[in-house]
Amino acid sequence: NLSKSEHFSLTRDIKERYGSTFFAGNYLDIAIEKGERHTCFFPYDDPITGFCLPEHGTHPDYPYLPKGGPNSLFFTGVDVAGDTNGDSTVLTTLQYIDRELRVVAFERISKTPLFDQNGTIERIRRRLNQFSGDLYYDATALAGQYLKEAIEKELEPEEVLRCTPINSTKKPAKNNKHNHKTFMLSNLAGIVEKGKLVIPYDEQDRLKQLKTEMRFYKLDDKGLATDTVMSLALAAYAWKRRESNNTYYDEEEGVDYLMDRVA
């Protein structure tokens, strides 16, 4: 965790740069405007089991995705519902193509039973089949630990290897001064500011929760809904770590990027 002085300094610097909220302003508007040319996949649920229908979205030629080619990569972030009534489990998949990160699949489901993660496991399995790539999931709290156990028990070994647990309160290495959450948020903020993020347009506005949470997200997120932001941050973090060959030098720079013009 950050020390009090580090947390105060980081909060002050980010507020000076971004205002009291983290992603507010024209940078987020650019991500939304870019999305008018793209669509997003929203999985169907079986009305009886609650699981994703296997026949939906599993065709190899996804009509809602541009032809990716060899340079197209997919990254999924899963923020699992915790032990509070307001939490949701969110799965967000980003496609990296044309030097942009586009939201191509989004699923927000009501709280899953803490001791029974079968519903989440089914969705993770479906997502890995639909979008071959890395999947990062939040393993911070108790629900995350139960999800980690379920993933290791229920998924095939090759699927488990594609799933990376992230404890957001821990530092990725002992020499780092920031924890995973700080890295994830600073990385996502940098992606937004550089105009790399694309949030697709949807007539039913099913990404409204994501846009709202990003619009009002604050560094001190106590009492705020943050499930969709953290799911997106996890997916973007998977991309960042792939880009930097799992080294953390670039990530330290990513955090400093938020503060480089504050002095």
Side-chain angles (χ1 to χ4, degrees):
N1 291 328
L2 296 175
S3 67
K4 288 185 178 179
S5 61
E6 286 178 322
H7 185 273
F8 175 79
S9 176
L10 185 61
T11 303
R12 179 201 62 204
D13 293 337
I14 291 177
K15 280 186 176 181
E16 288 182 14
R17 187 170 176 79
Y18 291 95
S20 59
T21 51
F22 208 75
F23 305 104
N26 64 326
Y27 298 123
L28 183 56
D29 294 333
I30 291 172
I32 295 171
E33 290 169 5
K34 281 187 172 186
E36 293 180 358
R37 303 188 301 272
H38 303 282
T39 56
C40 184
F41 170 60
F42 300 88
Y44 286 15
D45 281 348
D46 185 298
I48 297 176
T49 66
F51 294 162
C52 295
L53 292 172
E55 64 269 23
H56 184 70
T58 56
H59 193 276
D61 295 324
Y62 299 109
Y64 49 86
L65 293 177
K67 296 296 181 182
N71 296 322
S72 174
L73 300 171
F74 294 106
F75 303 93
T76 297
V78 180
D79 187 61
V80 64
D83 56 1
T84 60
N85 292 330
D87 283 352
S88 298
T89 294
V90 182
L91 295 87
T92 305
T93 298
L94 292 171
Q95 180 188 30
Y96 181 63
I97 184 172
D98 297 333
R99 306 185 76 172
E100 292 181 334
L101 284 163
R102 304 172 184 171
V103 178
V104 292
F106 181 84
E107 187 175 15
R108 182 170 178 261
I109 58 177
S110 59
K111 182 182 172 78
T112 53
L114 183 60
F115 300 101
D116 180 8
Q117 294 291 343
N118 287 340
T120 305
I121 288 294
E122 179 69 18
R123 287 169 166 81
I124 287 176
R125 181 183 287 116
R126 187 71 55 205
R127 192 61 63 93
L128 289 172
N129 289 334
Q130 291 165 334
F131 303 95
S132 180
D134 300 333
L135 183 146
Y136 276 37
Y137 63 95
D138 179 23
T140 306
L142 189 60
Q145 288 301 306
Y146 280 117
L147 178 59
K148 183 175 185 294
E149 293 177 5
I151 285 175
E152 294 172 350
K153 179 181 178 181
E154 300 296 335
L155 295 184
E156 297 298 324
E158 59 272 18
E159 294 174 325
V160 175
L161 289 175
R162 292 162 58 190
C163 299
T164 300
I166 295 294
N167 186 326
S168 63
T169 63
K170 291 186 176 180
K171 298 177 182 180
K174 64 179 181 180
N175 294 327
N176 292 116
K177 58 186 177 181
H178 300 295
N179 59 25
H180 281 294
K181 184 175 182 179
T182 308
F183 281 138
M184 288 191 295
L185 290 172
S186 60
N187 175 56
L188 183 56
I191 288 169
V192 172
E193 182 170 337
K194 292 176 182 178
K196 288 185 176 182
L197 181 66
V198 178
I199 301 176
Y201 170 77
D202 174 51
E203 289 185 356
Q204 299 181 39
D205 205 14
R206 286 169 291 187
L207 289 172
K208 180 179 180 180
Q209 184 69 23
L210 172 62
K211 292 183 287 187
T212 300
E213 286 187 19
M214 290 189 73
R215 183 77 66 187
F216 296 103
Y217 185 86
K218 296 182 180 179
L219 189 64
D220 183 6
D221 59 10
K222 294 179 180 178
L224 299 175
T226 62
D227 304 312
T228 63
V229 170
M230 294 313 300
S231 174
L232 178 63
L234 282 159
Y237 195 44
W239 165 78
K240 177 63 177 177
R241 293 181 74 181
R242 170 70 73 87
E243 284 286 291
S244 59
N245 280 329
N246 287 321
T247 61
Y248 299 95
Y249 177 77
D250 289 341
E251 293 183 350
E252 289 284 6
E253 286 189 336
V255 175
D256 295 336
Y257 176 76
L258 295 176
M259 301 178 255
D260 62 355
R261 285 178 280 175
V262 171

